[in-house]
Amino acid sequence: MEVLVYLIPISLILGGLGLGAFVWTLKSRQYDDPDGDSQRILSDQYDDKPKQD
C-alpha cells in the first residue's frame, strides 16, 4: 500500500504531461488541414448516395 504514495503522484504527473502535450499540439495547429478540406469538399469519393450499378 505504501507504493501507492509514489505511484499516484507519478501517474498524475504523467497524465498532466500528456494533457499538456495534447494542448500544445492543438495550439500549434498541428491538426488543421485546410488544403485537405478544400479538396475533400469537391470530391465525390465518399458521397452519401453511392452510384447505382
Side-chain angles (χ1 to χ4, degrees):
M1 290 303 276
E2 291 135 7
V3 73
L4 290 178
V5 173
Y6 299 107
L7 290 179
I8 291 174
I10 289 172
S11 66
L12 289 174
I13 289 170
L14 288 175
L17 286 174
L19 181 63
F22 176 68
V23 169
W24 175 74
T25 60
L26 285 177
K27 288 190 178 204
S28 63
R29 302 176 56 103
Q30 292 190 20
Y31 299 110
D32 289 347
D33 185 19
D35 294 333
D37 291 338
S38 65
Q39 294 299 317
R40 234 177 283 127
I41 198 166
L42 297 174
S43 173
D44 59 351
Q45 183 179 2
Y46 298 107
D47 198 10
D48 289 339
K49 297 177 183 175
K51 296 178 183 177
Q52 298 292 326
D53 290 330

